[in-house]
Amino acid sequence: MAGKKALSCTAGAVLSLSLLLSGCMAGSQTDKASGDKSKSNLEEKVVIYSPHGKDILQEFEKKFEEKNPDVDVEWLDIGSQEVLDRVRSEKKNPQADVWWGAPSVMFNQAKGEGLLEPYKPTYAKALNEEFHDKDWAWSGTSQTPEVIMYNSKKLSKDEAPKDWDDLLDPQWKDKIIIRYPLASGTMNTIFSAMIYRDYKDSKDPQKGYEWLQKLDANTKEYSANPEIMYSKVAKGEGAVSVWDMPDVVMLKEEKNYPFDFVIPESGTPVLTEGIALVKNAKHPKAAKAFYEFVNSKEANKILAEKHYRIPTRTDIDNLPKWIEDTKIKPMDIDWKVFESKSNGWMEYWDNNIKSKEKEQKE
């Protein structure tokens, strides 16, 4: 089949209008060779919602279909908060089968709303307790430390901010470009962590809000998507951002972006990225097969070596040196507090702190 797109825009009879519109904007997948078997004859398909980007999604589509030739993989590449919102809105008529990629906090929110189908994978014994839901509503696929990212052509390692509070220094005014937090699980977590640092003792978010107000004063732009943020920092329109370490390493090593990172000295949130089955999904058999494949030993090696993901499984050997050498000081976080408070905190930020003129539209 030629010209297949991520969630093809011709599928309007099946997909909701909002999904159709997003599907139209999603990047085209690699065209299939003309000799491929017609997808209309396939026994099964599996629909993936994921923020992992087209590079990973295209690769895993290809590898999974090679092992499962009677299954057609379709995917939609959107931010993790957008996935949660979409799965929530589609609860009565699910369009996705698998949700791959989001902080555990979001999966816990989805579990609480009855959006996920519990599934205990065959590799369960290789996951420590902190890397899966107690009822197996989700399981962890990778660990994601959050870092301060900077343009290495504009700043040396010594000149870059060393810790979160350094970002508030007046020298960084209009030099910080940040991904719009409300659409991003990564940014939602970083901002919530800045509030939580004081909230854990005071039970009052006010000092955290004041911190975010000062950061806003130094922020040049809230980019609508990660690609815009990457491009503008790479071009030197901004010198600093905050993001997740695996993506920064990937962009530096694979795409030659002038990026490097600093692990904040005081500690950083370390997210558990996960995968889950959508409740009442239309293709449960294929969904479980994809779920298993994504966290197989083979897939973990691919994700570690090619896409700079740190595995959650304890039985993955011969990991890249950068993973073995990385020393992280995890921030002490009560993730249940995040689950109950972060949405309200981010709503307050959006309504009362964010400078409206700094929001970048696509």
Side-chain angles (χ1 to χ4, degrees):
M1 174 180 178
K4 189 186 85 171
K5 291 178 181 275
L7 289 181
S8 171
C9 297
T10 62
V14 179
L15 304 180
S16 65
L17 178 60
S18 61
L19 177 57
L20 175 62
L21 293 174
S22 292
C24 292
M25 292 185 288
S28 297
Q29 294 182 8
T30 304
D31 290 353
K32 307 298 182 184
S34 59
D36 280 358
K37 181 179 178 180
S38 172
K39 292 296 181 183
S40 63
N41 295 327
L42 292 180
E43 296 177 0
E44 186 84 83
K45 74 173 181 178
V46 60
V47 179
I48 316 299
Y49 288 177
S50 175
H52 282 321
K54 67 179 182 178
D55 290 348
I56 289 178
L57 293 171
Q58 285 176 342
E59 180 170 7
F60 274 72
E61 174 197 8
K62 178 180 178 181
K63 290 185 178 298
F64 182 78
E65 288 182 350
E66 287 173 352
K67 292 180 176 294
N68 301 270
D70 291 327
V71 180
D72 177 25
V73 175
E74 295 182 352
W75 47 262
L76 185 63
D77 175 23
I78 54 177
S80 52
Q81 181 62 51
E82 295 169 286
V83 176
L84 175 56
D85 293 341
R86 189 178 292 275
V87 171
R88 183 184 286 136
S89 70
E90 296 170 351
K91 182 176 181 178
K92 293 183 178 179
N93 183 26
Q95 301 299 321
D97 301 301
V98 178
W99 175 3
W100 178 27
S104 59
V105 171
M106 288 189 172
F107 285 116
N108 285 333
Q109 290 175 354
K111 175 191 176 183
E113 296 178 32
L115 302 176
L116 306 180
E117 185 69 39
Y119 177 66
K120 187 174 182 178
T122 57
Y123 53 80
K125 291 183 179 179
L127 291 175
N128 291 334
E129 184 177 340
E130 66 268 27
F131 295 136
H132 67 83
D133 174 63
K134 64 182 180 63
D135 300 313
W136 294 98
W138 57 268
S139 66
T141 56
S142 63
Q143 305 171 64
T144 307
E146 313 304 342
V147 297
I148 297 169
M149 181 180 89
Y150 64 93
N151 182 319
S152 55
K153 288 185 177 179
K154 294 288 185 180
L155 301 172
S156 69
K157 195 89 169 180
D158 289 338
E159 293 171 326
K162 301 296 186 296
D163 212 340
W164 301 112
D165 290 344
D166 294 343
L167 296 169
L168 308 185
D169 191 297
Q171 69 172 309
W172 304 117
K173 185 172 178 60
D174 291 332
K175 295 180 180 179
I176 299 174
I177 294 179
I178 291 175
R179 163 73 160 114
Y180 180 54
L182 266 66
S184 166
T186 295
M187 288 308 310
N188 193 307
T189 298
I190 292 173
F191 273 28
S192 293
M194 297 303 100
I195 295 172
Y196 180 78
R197 292 187 301 173
D198 183 73
Y199 180 88
K200 66 181 179 181
D201 296 320
S202 68
K203 308 305 178 190
D204 184 344
Q206 187 56 42
K207 285 190 176 179
Y209 292 154
E210 292 171 2
W211 192 96
L212 292 176
Q213 185 77 61
K214 293 175 182 176
L215 181 67
D216 179 82
N218 280 354
T219 299
K220 183 177 183 179
E221 177 184 301
Y222 298 105
S223 299
N225 61 55
E227 286 70 28
I228 293 173
M229 182 262 285
Y230 301 154
S231 176
K232 293 198 171 188
V233 175
K235 291 175 182 177
E237 294 182 31
V240 176
S241 188
V242 290
W243 199 237
D244 68 80
M245 187 180 75
D247 279 355
V248 178
V249 177
M250 179 274 291
L251 292 164
K252 175 184 177 182
E253 298 295 333
E254 294 294 322
K255 300 191 175 183
N256 297 314
Y257 278 64
F259 291 168
D260 210 336
F261 66 89
V262 173
I263 300 172
E265 294 172 349
S266 63
T268 190
V270 180
L271 298 178
T272 297
E273 291 277 342
I275 188 169
L277 301 180
V278 176
K279 190 171 184 178
N280 298 322
K282 293 180 171 63
H283 313 101
K285 181 179 178 181
K288 290 176 182 177
F290 189 84
Y291 187 117
E292 291 279 349
F293 178 72
V294 159
N295 217 11
S296 64
K297 287 186 176 183
E298 172 191 353
N300 268 276
K301 294 286 282 186
I302 293 169
L303 288 167
E305 293 172 0
K306 293 185 64 177
H307 301 290
Y308 305 93
R309 296 304 199 265
I310 304 173
T312 52
R313 288 183 60 158
T314 59
D315 58 351
I316 310 299
D317 299 323
N318 300 315
L319 290 169
K321 188 175 186 297
W322 75 269
I323 293 179
E324 302 289 357
D325 291 347
T326 297
K327 305 300 181 187
I328 303 292
K329 180 181 179 181
M331 188 178 289
D332 182 18
I333 291 174
D334 183 340
W335 295 105
K336 290 184 178 180
V337 172
F338 269 43
E339 290 170 40
S340 64
K341 297 293 184 180
S342 62
N343 285 346
W345 290 344
M346 290 301 93
E347 183 178 351
Y348 183 91
W349 174 85
D350 196 46
N351 292 329
N352 299 282
I353 296 175
K354 179 192 68 177
S355 299
K356 301 292 184 182
E357 70 276 7
K358 295 179 181 180
E359 185 176 349
Q360 173 69 36
K361 304 298 183 182
E362 289 184 280

PDB file of all heavy atoms in Angstrom, residues 39-50:
ATOM      1  N   LYS A  39      -3.432  -3.656   2.911  1.00  0.00           N
ATOM      2  CA  LYS A  39      -3.809  -3.575   4.312  1.00  0.00           C
ATOM      3  C   LYS A  39      -5.279  -3.906   4.532  1.00  0.00           C
ATOM      4  O   LYS A  39      -5.680  -4.299   5.616  1.00  0.00           O
ATOM      5  CB  LYS A  39      -3.503  -2.176   4.855  1.00  0.00           C
ATOM      6  CG  LYS A  39      -2.018  -1.865   4.936  1.00  0.00           C
ATOM      7  CD  LYS A  39      -1.310  -2.761   5.917  1.00  0.00           C
ATOM      8  CE  LYS A  39       0.164  -2.412   6.012  1.00  0.00           C
ATOM      9  NZ  LYS A  39       0.892  -3.318   6.898  1.00  0.00           N
ATOM     10  N   SER A  40      -6.097  -3.740   3.496  1.00  0.00           N
ATOM     11  CA  SER A  40      -7.520  -4.036   3.655  1.00  0.00           C
ATOM     12  C   SER A  40      -7.773  -5.514   3.888  1.00  0.00           C
ATOM     13  O   SER A  40      -8.835  -5.907   4.356  1.00  0.00           O
ATOM     14  CB  SER A  40      -8.297  -3.566   2.420  1.00  0.00           C
ATOM     15  OG  SER A  40      -7.864  -4.277   1.267  1.00  0.00           O
ATOM     16  N   ASN A  41      -6.778  -6.351   3.575  1.00  0.00           N
ATOM     17  CA  ASN A  41      -6.928  -7.790   3.755  1.00  0.00           C
ATOM     18  C   ASN A  41      -6.385  -8.280   5.083  1.00  0.00           C
ATOM     19  O   ASN A  41      -6.441  -9.477   5.377  1.00  0.00           O
ATOM     20  CB  ASN A  41      -6.218  -8.540   2.617  1.00  0.00           C
ATOM     21  CG  ASN A  41      -6.878  -8.261   1.272  1.00  0.00           C
ATOM     22  OD1 ASN A  41      -8.081  -8.067   1.198  1.00  0.00           O
ATOM     23  ND2 ASN A  41      -6.068  -8.231   0.219  1.00  0.00           N
ATOM     24  N   LEU A  42      -5.842  -7.391   5.881  1.00  0.00           N
ATOM     25  CA  LEU A  42      -5.246  -7.815   7.130  1.00  0.00           C
ATOM     26  C   LEU A  42      -6.318  -8.222   8.138  1.00  0.00           C
ATOM     27  O   LEU A  42      -7.426  -7.696   8.146  1.00  0.00           O
ATOM     28  CB  LEU A  42      -4.389  -6.692   7.721  1.00  0.00           C
ATOM     29  CG  LEU A  42      -3.129  -6.351   6.922  1.00  0.00           C
ATOM     30  CD1 LEU A  42      -2.366  -5.242   7.602  1.00  0.00           C
ATOM     31  CD2 LEU A  42      -2.243  -7.555   6.724  1.00  0.00           C
ATOM     32  N   GLU A  43      -5.953  -9.170   8.995  1.00  0.00           N
ATOM     33  CA  GLU A  43      -6.894  -9.680   9.976  1.00  0.00           C
ATOM     34  C   GLU A  43      -7.128  -8.692  11.121  1.00  0.00           C
ATOM     35  O   GLU A  43      -8.179  -8.670  11.731  1.00  0.00           O
ATOM     36  CB  GLU A  43      -6.376 -11.007  10.553  1.00  0.00           C
ATOM     37  CG  GLU A  43      -6.270 -12.112   9.525  1.00  0.00           C
ATOM     38  CD  GLU A  43      -5.679 -13.382  10.113  1.00  0.00           C
ATOM     39  OE1 GLU A  43      -5.363 -13.376  11.319  1.00  0.00           O
ATOM     40  OE2 GLU A  43      -5.548 -14.358   9.389  1.00  0.00           O
ATOM     41  N   GLU A  44      -6.137  -7.866  11.427  1.00  0.00           N
ATOM     42  CA  GLU A  44      -6.170  -7.079  12.652  1.00  0.00           C
ATOM     43  C   GLU A  44      -5.417  -5.779  12.437  1.00  0.00           C
ATOM     44  O   GLU A  44      -4.600  -5.648  11.519  1.00  0.00           O
ATOM     45  CB  GLU A  44      -5.498  -7.876  13.775  1.00  0.00           C
ATOM     46  CG  GLU A  44      -5.587  -7.253  15.149  1.00  0.00           C
ATOM     47  CD  GLU A  44      -6.888  -7.563  15.859  1.00  0.00           C
ATOM     48  OE1 GLU A  44      -6.992  -8.648  16.460  1.00  0.00           O
ATOM     49  OE2 GLU A  44      -7.780  -6.702  15.813  1.00  0.00           O
ATOM     50  N   LYS A  45      -5.712  -4.803  13.274  1.00  0.00           N
ATOM     51  CA  LYS A  45      -4.878  -3.606  13.332  1.00  0.00           C
ATOM     52  C   LYS A  45      -4.755  -3.183  14.787  1.00  0.00           C
ATOM     53  O   LYS A  45      -5.466  -3.697  15.662  1.00  0.00           O
ATOM     54  CB  LYS A  45      -5.462  -2.477  12.485  1.00  0.00           C
ATOM     55  CG  LYS A  45      -6.680  -1.777  13.057  1.00  0.00           C
ATOM     56  CD  LYS A  45      -7.032  -0.574  12.192  1.00  0.00           C
ATOM     57  CE  LYS A  45      -8.236   0.167  12.752  1.00  0.00           C
ATOM     58  NZ  LYS A  45      -8.556   1.372  11.952  1.00  0.00           N
ATOM     59  N   VAL A  46      -3.836  -2.269  15.037  1.00  0.00           N
ATOM     60  CA  VAL A  46      -3.666  -1.732  16.382  1.00  0.00           C
ATOM     61  C   VAL A  46      -3.392  -0.236  16.242  1.00  0.00           C
ATOM     62  O   VAL A  46      -2.584   0.193  15.419  1.00  0.00           O
ATOM     63  CB  VAL A  46      -2.533  -2.458  17.150  1.00  0.00           C
ATOM     64  CG1 VAL A  46      -1.191  -2.333  16.443  1.00  0.00           C
ATOM     65  CG2 VAL A  46      -2.449  -1.954  18.581  1.00  0.00           C
ATOM     66  N   VAL A  47      -4.114   0.563  17.020  1.00  0.00           N
ATOM     67  CA  VAL A  47      -4.000   2.014  16.968  1.00  0.00           C
ATOM     68  C   VAL A  47      -3.276   2.499  18.218  1.00  0.00           C
ATOM     69  O   VAL A  47      -3.695   2.215  19.343  1.00  0.00           O
ATOM     70  CB  VAL A  47      -5.390   2.679  16.866  1.00  0.00           C
ATOM     71  CG1 VAL A  47      -5.247   4.202  16.839  1.00  0.00           C
ATOM     72  CG2 VAL A  47      -6.123   2.186  15.622  1.00  0.00           C
ATOM     73  N   ILE A  48      -2.191   3.251  18.003  1.00  0.00           N
ATOM     74  CA  ILE A  48      -1.322   3.711  19.088  1.00  0.00           C
ATOM     75  C   ILE A  48      -1.429   5.223  19.209  1.00  0.00           C
ATOM     76  O   ILE A  48      -1.300   5.944  18.229  1.00  0.00           O
ATOM     77  CB  ILE A  48       0.161   3.354  18.808  1.00  0.00           C
ATOM     78  CG1 ILE A  48       0.319   1.921  18.274  1.00  0.00           C
ATOM     79  CG2 ILE A  48       1.019   3.616  20.034  1.00  0.00           C
ATOM     80  CD1 ILE A  48      -0.155   0.867  19.206  1.00  0.00           C
ATOM     81  N   TYR A  49      -1.666   5.710  20.423  1.00  0.00           N
ATOM     82  CA  TYR A  49      -1.508   7.131  20.726  1.00  0.00           C
ATOM     83  C   TYR A  49      -0.198   7.266  21.495  1.00  0.00           C
ATOM     84  O   TYR A  49       0.031   6.569  22.495  1.00  0.00           O
ATOM     85  CB  TYR A  49      -2.641   7.648  21.611  1.00  0.00           C
ATOM     86  CG  TYR A  49      -3.982   7.795  20.938  1.00  0.00           C
ATOM     87  CD1 TYR A  49      -5.085   8.203  21.681  1.00  0.00           C
ATOM     88  CD2 TYR A  49      -4.173   7.547  19.580  1.00  0.00           C
ATOM     89  CE1 TYR A  49      -6.335   8.358  21.096  1.00  0.00           C
ATOM     90  CE2 TYR A  49      -5.411   7.687  18.983  1.00  0.00           C
ATOM     91  CZ  TYR A  49      -6.498   8.089  19.742  1.00  0.00           C
ATOM     92  OH  TYR A  49      -7.734   8.233  19.162  1.00  0.00           O
ATOM     93  N   SER A  50       0.667   8.196  21.050  1.00  0.00           N
ATOM     94  CA  SER A  50       1.984   8.285  21.665  1.00  0.00           C
ATOM     95  C   SER A  50       2.622   9.648  21.432  1.00  0.00           C
ATOM     96  O   SER A  50       2.451  10.237  20.361  1.00  0.00           O
ATOM     97  CB  SER A  50       2.899   7.205  21.083  1.00  0.00           C
ATOM     98  OG  SER A  50       4.221   7.331  21.576  1.00  0.00           O
TER      99      SER A  50
END
